[in-house]
Amino acid sequence: MPSKTLFSREDLAELVHRYADMMLRIAFTYVKNRADAEDICQEVFIKIAKQHKTFQHAEHEKAWIIRITINASKDALRSPWKKLFSPINEASLPIVQQENNEVVACVLELPKKYRIVIYLFYFEGYSTAEIAGLLRRNENTVRTQLHRARELLRKSMIGGFVNE
């Protein structure tokens, strides 16, 4: 007997419209490859469709989707397939504004633990306490990682940040 889909097409389309770009960017910060990031997004939407959770607030839903995306990205990196095969060429960066290419390229050169913290803080606007909850890390650890990531970015970028 086939399983019944709990989401309507409209509900799924709305979720894709609302979260696909964010999920792609989060996955990309982990796997650094657009094709793999798109695969991760697809897997996450399948998981979401199967679970069909309801939330009181949109922020809880967003945090849950971020957590699923992070877990799926980590699973992809642990995959034996990923370890055996690497892409022939890296895909383009998933950003719209071309003037941000240099900054994003520098962020992608950071170690994985710094990339996701920088992304969630600057691109998604989460506080350090919220990031700590999402990543299941101590808040002081998140602050330290943000500080170290900023220092690494400052060293890698010519002239440092404009506003500092």
Side-chain angles (χ1 to χ4, degrees):
M1 178 180 232
S3 63
K4 181 179 180 283
T5 304
L6 299 174
F7 276 108
S8 69
R9 285 185 182 264
E10 293 80 21
D11 291 340
L12 285 174
E14 175 61 29
L15 284 173
V16 169
H17 177 71
R18 198 173 334 142
Y19 296 116
D21 186 51
M22 175 194 69
M23 291 167 47
L24 179 66
R25 287 182 275 136
I26 290 171
F28 193 86
T29 61
Y30 277 91
V31 296
K32 293 197 216 179
N33 177 289
R34 187 177 182 102
D36 290 342
E38 289 171 350
D39 288 345
I40 290 168
C41 289
Q42 184 175 1
E43 289 175 26
V44 170
F45 278 118
I46 290 169
K47 288 178 185 178
I48 291 169
K50 286 181 179 178
Q51 292 186 7
H52 190 64
K53 288 191 172 200
T54 56
F55 297 93
Q56 293 177 352
H57 303 288
E59 280 300 311
H60 292 149
E61 179 181 61
K62 182 179 178 182
W64 179 68
I65 290 173
I66 288 172
R67 186 73 242 164
I68 292 174
T69 306
I70 289 170
N71 288 342
S73 300
K74 287 179 178 181
D75 290 345
L77 289 174
R78 284 191 294 262
S79 163
W81 182 262
K82 178 75 174 163
K83 291 176 183 175
L84 291 174
F85 298 98
S86 61
I88 295 172
N89 56 6
E90 291 295 319
S92 62
L93 299 174
I95 58 174
V96 177
Q97 300 166 336
Q98 293 302 317
E99 62 269 8
N100 292 335
N101 273 343
E102 181 184 348
V103 174
V104 173
C106 289
V107 169
L108 289 175
E109 293 302 316
L110 293 173
K112 181 175 44 177
K113 65 183 177 181
Y114 299 144
R115 287 192 306 257
I116 191 64
V117 172
I118 288 286
Y119 172 77
L120 291 172
F121 188 79
Y122 287 107
F123 293 96
E124 292 299 326
Y126 280 102
S127 69
T128 54
E130 292 168 327
I131 294 170
L134 285 170
L135 299 178
R136 298 182 181 134
R137 296 178 186 160
N138 185 303
E139 187 176 353
N140 289 329
T141 302
V142 170
R143 287 189 188 126
T144 300
Q145 289 173 340
L146 269 174
H147 176 73
R148 290 178 181 167
R150 288 182 194 121
E151 289 298 318
L152 289 171
L153 285 172
R154 190 174 290 121
K155 290 177 185 175
S156 68
M157 294 181 69
I158 300 171
F161 290 114
V162 175
N163 62 349
E164 291 188 315

